[in-house]
Amino acid sequence: MRVIIEEDYGAMSRRAAAIVAAMIRDKPALVLGLATGGTPIGLYSELIHRNREEGLAFSRVTTFNLDEYYGLPPQHEQSYGHFMRKHLFDHINVPEGNIHLPDGTVVDVDAFCRQYERMIDEAGGVDLQVLGIGADGHIGFNEPGSSLASRTRLVALGTRTIKDNARFFQSNDQAVPRAAITMGVGTILEARTCLLLASGTNKAGVVAQAIEGPITSQVTASALQLHPHTIAILDQRAASLLRRKDEYVRSETLLRELRAGGPG
Ligand code: PGA
């Protein structure tokens, strides 16, 4: 895994945006996997800025979101459909028909999940998947114990996740959904590149487990160690408990020099 450590949240977000933008410029019909939560909001603001100020075009980009609460319609203020419109889609030129999120209102969930996987396949697979990491180590809503081969499916949220997400809901945590539809770990691992973002001291422990700990279904982000092209972009705080932190920094510097100047 390539580990990039940036000074703070702003620098992490700009670095991530630079990678997303370069990939869109390289392949204008990029299939972009997207995440919700507090972490990618800075990345999305940067992308909006680049769309407006630098002409970064989303007109041929297709998006697939990782997950959606089960039971919330897309108009619901706390649905991820709403979140994505508010923080990204309403502000860039991505065509409505190119946007995909799991539908939290479907009755035949299993059929829907199979269809979601089919739509990803038909789009040619995800080129770049943006990921946050939950305090319990989840990617998407793949809570501890999720099979590392899991596919898109209905899942029960862990108590830690329900607690963490309660901050987004006005009332008490009774209103927080208990279930979600999420891409599986196996689905995520099929993306050609994964971009894992983490910021803040509260993520430091779980980031260290995911990057340097054993690969385990108890920390589903650790499955990214099996992925050939994962880039983790962390701020200093989220990186603070990495044992090999200095090595990652050294390696990034050396590789940058070698790419710029060749082996001599
Ligand atoms: P956060 O959530 O970005 O709000 O910390 C991350 C996640 O749960 O994946």
Side-chain angles (χ1 to χ4, degrees):
M1 193 183 304
R2 185 174 163 202
V3 180
I4 298 174
I5 301 168
E6 294 287 353
E7 190 52 36
D8 54 21
Y9 180 75
M12 177 203 78
S13 302
R14 286 190 294 278
R15 186 66 177 263
I19 290 174
V20 176
M23 289 190 72
I24 294 174
R25 293 216 156 91
D26 198 45
K27 183 178 177 185
L30 195 79
V31 180
L32 184 56
L34 295 172
T36 50
T39 309
I41 290 177
L43 159 64
Y44 297 156
S45 317
E46 289 290 329
L47 291 177
I48 293 166
H49 174 78
R50 283 165 184 259
N51 179 240
R52 286 192 184 152
E53 309 296 328
E54 297 169 18
L56 178 69
F58 288 82
S59 50
R60 295 177 59 202
V61 168
T62 298
T63 69
F64 285 92
N65 263 80
L66 283 169
D67 45 21
E68 176 61 281
Y69 288 122
Y70 189 60
L72 293 195
Q75 316 79 264
H76 191 287
E77 270 222 326
Q78 295 307 333
S79 72
Y80 286 166
H82 185 268
F83 175 101
M84 289 307 302
R85 282 193 299 282
K86 179 173 163 195
H87 292 290
L88 185 65
F89 298 149
D90 279 354
H91 314 286
I92 59 171
N93 64 333
V94 63
E96 186 68 32
N98 289 11
I99 294 170
H100 305 85
L101 280 105
D103 181 347
T105 65
V106 286
V107 177
D108 191 344
V109 190
D110 295 342
F112 175 81
C113 292
R114 284 194 297 274
Q115 188 197 338
Y116 201 67
E117 293 264 346
R118 220 169 19 245
M119 288 192 295
I120 295 173
D121 281 348
E122 282 166 9
V126 173
D127 291 305
L128 176 63
Q129 178 65 59
V130 175
L131 297 164
I133 180 169
D136 63 3
H138 70 212
I139 45 175
F141 270 134
N142 293 286
E143 301 288 41
S146 296
S147 160
L148 301 186
S150 53
R151 311 300 307 186
T152 302
R153 68 204 187 288
L154 180 67
V155 293
L157 301 181
T159 41
R160 176 73 197 258
T161 299
I162 294 170
K163 236 188 190 63
D164 285 348
N165 290 353
R167 72 187 196 273
F168 296 111
F169 289 78
Q170 248 82 31
S171 54
N172 56 45
D173 72 348
Q174 292 311 312
V176 187
R178 262 60 177 158
I181 295 176
T182 183
M183 283 188 203
V185 181
T187 320
I188 293 168
L189 291 180
E190 283 172 10
R192 291 179 190 95
T193 300
C194 288
L195 192 58
L196 177 70
L197 306 182
S199 161
T201 314
N202 61 331
K203 295 289 173 68
V206 82
V207 161
Q209 284 183 60
I211 294 177
E212 296 180 333
I215 297 170
T216 167
S217 65
Q218 298 307 305
V219 180
T220 56
S222 67
L224 294 169
Q225 294 177 35
L226 292 168
H227 190 280
H229 299 289
T230 289
I231 307 169
I233 309 182
L234 316 171
D235 67 6
Q236 287 287 356
R237 289 175 178 203
S240 57
L241 294 178
L242 289 171
R243 281 190 309 273
R244 302 188 66 249
K245 190 176 163 193
D246 295 344
E247 291 296 317
Y248 307 132
V249 174
R250 208 180 58 78
S251 148
E252 273 301 306
T253 309
L254 177 64
L255 292 177
R256 195 165 49 238
E257 284 168 12
L258 292 177
R259 281 192 203 102

